[in-house]
Structures are given as C-alpha cells and as structure tokens.
Amino acid sequence: MAETHSLQDLRQQPAVAAKVFLQRDYTHGTMCQFQTKFPSELETRIDKQQFEETVRTLNNLYTEAEKLGSQSLIEGCLACLTAYTVFLCMETHYEKVLKKIAKFIQEQNDKIYAPRGLLLTDPIERGLRVIEVTIFEDRSLTR
Amino acid sequence: MSAVMITRKVRKWEKLPGKNTFCCDGRVMMARQKGVFYLTLFLIVGTCALFFAFECPYLAIHLSPTIPFFAALLFLFVIAMLLRTSFSDPGVLPRALPEEATFIEMEIEAANGNVPAGQRPPPRIRNVQINNQIVKLKYCYTCKIFRPPRASHCSICDNCVDRFDHHCPWVGNCVGKRNYRYFYLFTTSLSLLTIYIFTFDIVHVVMREYPDGLISRNRHVQRVLVCFFTLWSVVGLTGFHTYLISLNQTTNEDIKGSWSGKNRVQNPYSHKNIFKNCCEVLCGPTYPSVLDRRGLMQDDMPVSATPAAPSSSSLSSSNPVPQTTVRSHTRTHTHTEPLHTLPLKWIEAAKHRIAMTVSIGGQRGLLFSVIHVVIWMWSHLVAFLLIEQIDS
C-alpha cells in the first residue's frame, strides 16, 4: 500500500476507475463471512464463477480461523494457565490463518485479478468489514 | 507554488482518529482518562502489600508457608489480567476510508429512493437476518459505517467497538470483543484474591493475641470490614458478568433491554445452552486487532512558506498527541489534598459519573450507575482507611 510521490511512478500506475465493496454476510451470526453476491460492476471484467470461488475460499479460510475446535480450546486453556504470556512467543491460530489468507489473496491477485485490471484488498486492512475490489481503467491493460 | 514535500514514515497509531492514548510506540492502547485505573492499581497493590507485610509472616510461621505463596500467584494473575484488559485493543473498528464512505452513501440513497424536498430522509438502518431473527444495523455518522451486529460507538473513546460491552473506567479502557475474557478473568481472580485475603484476615484476627490491647485489634477489624465491602462489590460484578456470559449477552444489550420483553427479538447469538455460550465467550478464538497500530505509513508534510496546505494523510482534528509528550492528568484524591475537601470532590465526581452512565445507558442505566457509584464510593473509603492506617 506504499505510494511514492515520484512523477515517473505516478505515470506508470494505472488510474483507478472505480472501487467495489463486498459487504459482510451476517446470516449465520457474527462470524466473519462475506457476501458472495456478484457485483454488477465486475461483469465485464471477470467470470462470475471465478469470483464467487475466490470469495467462497476466503469464507472457508475465515471459518477455519474462527472454528471452536479442540485446538482453539487447548490453546485457550494453555494461554489462560500462563496468564496469556505464552502469546509473547507463540502465534495464535487466528494469526496463522490470517497469514494464509494474505498469501492466498496475493496469489489470486497475481494470477487472476491483475491481468484483468483488478485488485483485491485484504479485508484485514479494512477492519474485516469489506472486501475492496479496485477496478483500474482499461487503457492501462495494453500488452 | 513550489512546495517541497517531505515524506516521512510514521507509525499508524500516530494518525488514528479517536480519543485513545498510546504508549510504548503503539503497543499499549488506553482511554484518555486513566485516573481511576491508577486508583484500581493502587487499591490492589496497596491491599496486597499490607497483607504480605503484616499478616503473611505470622501466617507462614503459624499455619503454612504455602499461604503467602498462593496469594502471590493469585496477585500476579490479577495484575496480569488487569494490565492485559487495560492495554489491549478492545476490538476497535477502523473508520471507513473516503471511497468506502461514498460507496455506502450511494447505496443508502439508492435504497431510499427520491425523498421529496423538505422532508427528512428516513433513518439510516439496514435490516439483516441473523439466525432467523431480524436485527437492525445502525449507521454510525462518526465512523461512516453500518455498525456490525453487537458493535457500538463508545463516546468516551470515540470509536466503534465490536461486541461492545461497556467502557470501564476502572481498567481505563473499553471492554469489547478482544478483551472481554481478560476482563472477566480479572474480576473473577480479583474476587478470589479478595476472598482469600479476607479469610486469612479473619483467621489472623481470631488466632492472634494482641499485647497492645484494643487499639491494634480495632485496626485489624477495620481492615476486615474494608475487605468485606470490597468483596461484595467485586463478587457482585463477577456474578453479573457470569450471568451475562451464560446468556451470551453484553452489558450494553442488557442495559438497553435489547433482548428482553415479549415483543422484542430473542437473542439471536445465544446457543440456548449455557455451556456452549460460556465456551464461545471464554474459550473462543483470540481475535486479532484490525488496527495495525505499529504498521508504517507515509506522512506527507509540506515544507513551504504558505502554511495552509493540508495534506491528506496528516491531521484530523481529533488526532491523538504523540505519546512521548503526553502525561495525562491523574485524579489523585490522596495525600496531596486536605482530607476535608475529599467528600465534596467525591460528590461532584459521582454526579458526573451518574450523568455519563445515564447518557450512555438510558433509564435502566440509572440503576446500573447507582450501583457503579456505590462501588466507587466504597473503594474511595477503602483507600481513605488504608491511608489512615499507614499514616497512624
């Protein structure tokens, strides 16, 4: 997300045409899930199935992060017994999955979205509220 | 025309809106008013210091050395939980960036349709269905977002907090999704510590013979009484939060009566099973902070003769002052003021406290705030008596 002010870079960076925000889906409670509804602005840029597949995978990853399983229970009990000092040296399960998510989004951007002039922003940078999809102008896609 | 821009890297916490204060280069995050938090620390550390200094030597010799050992363990756990609650991010939701805010506004306008001129537009509410119940999401005009379910805007910290429970002046921070379990563990362990000290206080009073006669015995009884009153406050609070956890409710929802009453929606977040509710709240995943306080960002500072060049990434009016220079006011009611003015100050502060809580909680908040003030006054009494003991 770093932006430099060198004029050369500004010329090379494609202009942003629009931004679309995918909202959270609260039908199953306060768990982190995003709506898989395909936004109309992206119809000309990307296949609907592809996009919904990305969002669905993200949702599955977030479910994995927030799962109330035996691992999170053990982690919680161990942390409580050590007065949560164990987190000074250990990463929480949620943080590990967040790293996975960041890698997944990077991969998707490189392989699928960047060639189509789109950019997915990791939801953690928007407070886990929205998935921001930046649509770049068409003229920058000349290859 | 030719303004030279100096770009420097700053930590994101320096540019966060809201009324929080940050310490240790963004690692610690608290509310602005920290006076009551210092009082809490003083009460806990002071009482325990007196216990360790005056009673543990006798108890260790005449009963068992494990007594001070477990007291020390409990004390350390209480302090760890207090600091964890006070210093961590309660689950603050970052404000919407301009593009997101505009996008939401456009959606609202599209949903409202054409409002005839002169008429007030309808309130900004979004209905969502959660577990087959309709829940209304309110729009936050400060943060420019539709608040997620269970989130609320804390007017003291000027932030939207996820799963907002309440703003606790005792810990000097909001209690929300990320630090609620530490807050609960703090009140529980503090109850246990108070009961422990109270019990051994009584044992000590009963066992010991007083060569000084009535004077030192009275002082001891005084300390027992003080422990007794503090015990009821803290144990009561722990009981209240245990009740809330078993129903998977927040203090905010309980005060506002969100899920009570026949015509109201039933709590859609409860698993209808006490054990499951407790598991979710206490043993759930440790949510990460979405604020990224210590991340780096570019800050553009124009360096030119014309002073009025606002740069987009710096300065909103409610920016916190960088932490190296801030030392917030601490309301010290103790040695520095003449004792006879203390009751007046307490009454003024109590009035302010009631007004604040009622404005947040409404009518039901009045009862809550009365209890809150009574607990608060007792704690001042505790402090007062402890100081008198040290002085005399």
Side-chain angles (χ1 to χ4, degrees):
Chain A
M1 288 290 287
E3 288 163 311
T4 60
H5 287 279
S6 148
L7 276 176
Q8 248 185 342
D9 286 341
L10 278 175
R11 250 186 262 125
Q12 283 172 6
Q13 211 177 43
V16 176
K19 287 195 181 187
V20 186
F21 297 90
L22 264 91
Q23 303 291 331
R24 282 270 294 269
D25 176 18
Y26 295 115
T27 44
H28 298 292
T30 49
M31 274 174 26
C32 184
Q33 299 281 282
F34 291 95
Q35 289 178 3
T36 48
K37 192 181 67 153
F38 186 62
S40 49
E41 292 91 333
L42 298 178
E43 266 166 20
T44 52
R45 297 293 192 108
I46 192 166
D47 183 31
K48 179 175 168 179
Q49 295 283 36
Q50 181 74 65
F51 185 75
E52 286 183 358
E53 185 56 42
T54 309
V55 180
R56 227 173 279 135
T57 314
L58 271 177
N59 281 340
N60 289 338
L61 283 168
Y62 281 115
T63 310
E64 188 197 321
E66 296 189 2
K67 200 172 63 162
L68 276 180
S70 54
Q71 198 200 350
S72 74
L73 206 69
I74 293 172
E75 192 184 72
C77 286
L78 174 71
C80 181
L81 288 173
T82 59
Y84 296 92
T85 51
V86 75
F87 289 141
L88 292 170
C89 31
M90 196 181 90
E91 229 179 22
T92 67
H93 174 64
Y94 209 114
E95 282 166 358
K96 285 189 196 136
V97 180
L98 282 179
K99 285 204 171 142
K100 246 207 259 181
I101 290 172
K103 220 169 79 171
F104 170 72
I105 290 182
Q106 178 78 32
E107 236 176 87
Q108 292 280 295
N109 274 332
D110 289 337
K111 284 196 209 147
I112 301 170
Y113 291 89
R116 291 174 171 77
L118 298 171
L119 179 72
L120 284 181
T121 307
D122 195 335
I124 195 86
E125 294 180 27
R126 298 288 177 263
L128 287 179
R129 279 195 323 266
V130 289
I131 301 178
E132 184 183 302
V133 185
T134 313
I135 305 172
F136 293 107
E137 279 183 11
D138 252 328
R139 60 178 173 83
S140 62
L141 289 176
T142 49
R143 287 207 178 183
Chain B
M1 271 283 278
S2 56
V4 177
M5 300 279 268
I6 288 187
T7 305
R8 61 184 187 119
K9 282 218 161 99
V10 293
R11 297 267 185 201
K12 286 184 187 171
W13 65 262
E14 296 181 55
K15 297 295 171 198
L16 277 176
K19 295 185 191 158
N20 291 99
T21 51
F22 298 88
C23 305
C24 302
D25 200 18
R27 290 181 180 89
V28 164
M29 179 172 173
M30 291 180 78
R32 228 170 241 188
Q33 300 103 342
K34 299 195 268 290
V36 188
F37 165 69
Y38 293 133
L39 174 68
T40 311
L41 262 182
F42 169 74
L43 288 176
I44 297 173
V45 173
T47 317
C48 290
L50 288 176
F51 178 72
F52 286 122
F54 296 109
E55 302 195 13
C56 280
Y58 181 85
L59 289 168
I61 296 168
H62 288 86
L63 276 181
S64 167
T66 56
I67 293 172
F69 174 71
F70 284 119
L73 277 184
L74 253 182
F75 168 72
L76 288 173
F77 189 78
V78 167
I79 296 292
M81 289 300 103
L82 172 63
L83 295 182
R84 184 109 194 173
T85 312
S86 306
F87 294 168
S88 56
D89 171 8
V92 170
L93 296 167
R95 297 187 185 186
L97 294 175
E99 296 111 349
E100 191 186 337
T102 320
F103 186 83
I104 295 177
E105 298 256 351
M106 276 170 25
E107 272 190 346
I108 294 172
E109 272 164 34
N112 285 343
N114 288 321
V115 179
Q119 259 189 28
R120 210 187 299 169
R124 295 182 174 189
I125 288 184
R126 200 179 260 177
N127 287 325
V128 291
Q129 196 182 47
I130 300 178
N131 291 330
N132 300 319
Q133 311 265 15
I134 302 288
V135 174
K136 292 188 193 307
L137 301 186
K138 287 197 191 149
Y139 182 76
C140 181
Y141 285 92
T142 314
C143 304
K144 301 216 186 329
I145 56 170
F146 276 99
R147 284 185 211 129
R150 314 195 91 173
S152 191
H153 192 94
C154 176
S155 46
I156 301 169
C157 301
D158 202 23
N159 287 318
C160 269
V161 178
D162 207 353
R163 203 189 185 279
F164 179 71
D165 195 84
H166 65 286
H167 181 98
C168 187
W170 301 103
V171 303
N173 203 358
C174 287
V175 177
K177 183 166 82 169
R178 292 191 73 239
N179 63 354
Y180 184 61
R181 83 187 62 176
Y182 309 132
F183 175 75
Y184 181 72
L185 286 173
F186 165 61
T187 53
T188 312
S189 54
L190 185 62
S191 306
L192 291 174
L193 181 66
T194 321
I195 291 171
Y196 193 91
I197 291 182
F198 179 61
T199 313
F200 285 107
D201 253 349
I202 295 183
V203 165
H204 192 190
V205 166
V206 164
M207 281 179 65
R208 196 157 178 178
E209 285 160 13
Y210 286 90
D212 296 351
L214 220 53
I215 301 164
S216 51
R217 193 172 192 128
N218 276 349
R219 210 171 286 168
H220 233 86
V221 170
Q222 217 175 45
R223 190 166 35 234
V224 167
L225 281 174
V226 151
C227 263
F228 179 74
F229 286 121
T230 321
L231 201 148
W232 280 115
S233 328
V234 180
V235 170
L237 188 65
T238 309
F240 176 62
H241 279 283
T242 311
Y243 160 77
L244 286 180
I245 287 176
S246 63
L247 292 179
N248 204 334
Q249 273 189 29
T250 63
T251 309
N252 196 41
E253 286 161 359
D254 189 67
I255 286 183
K256 290 188 174 161
S258 308
W259 317 123
S260 61
K262 286 182 196 157
N263 297 328
R264 295 254 190 160
V265 179
Q266 298 298 306
N267 187 355
Y269 314 108
S270 169
H271 297 280
K272 312 281 184 230
N273 178 332
I274 291 180
F275 180 68
K276 273 193 191 162
N277 285 337
C278 292
C279 263
E280 188 198 303
V281 177
L282 298 176
C283 310
T286 33
Y287 299 96
S289 170
V290 298
L291 276 188
D292 191 24
R293 306 188 292 277
R294 289 180 45 78
L296 292 167
M297 61 183 277
Q298 308 277 12
D299 182 25
D300 306 320
M301 284 176 47
V303 179
S304 68
T306 51
S311 105
S312 58
S313 55
S314 54
L315 285 210
S316 65
S317 55
S318 55
N319 239 350
V321 177
Q323 210 43 37
T324 45
T325 54
V326 167
R327 188 85 185 111
S328 64
H329 316 291
T330 51
R331 269 186 279 139
T332 47
H333 289 298
T334 53
H335 322 283
T336 54
E337 299 181 18
L339 293 176
H340 64 270
T341 62
L342 284 180
L344 283 168
K345 288 227 174 242
W346 292 350
I347 291 168
E348 279 312 307
K351 277 193 205 160
H352 173 71
R353 199 161 290 284
I354 289 177
M356 219 161 63
T357 321
V358 170
S359 72
I360 294 167
Q363 279 188 330
R364 274 176 77 158
L366 185 59
L367 177 64
F368 187 73
S369 64
V370 167
I371 297 171
H372 183 106
V373 166
V374 167
I375 293 171
W376 183 79
M377 298 278 271
W378 274 343
S379 304
H380 274 67
L381 186 68
V382 164
F384 188 73
L385 289 170
L386 281 174
I387 293 150
E388 209 199 341
Q389 282 191 342
I390 294 168
D391 285 347
S392 57

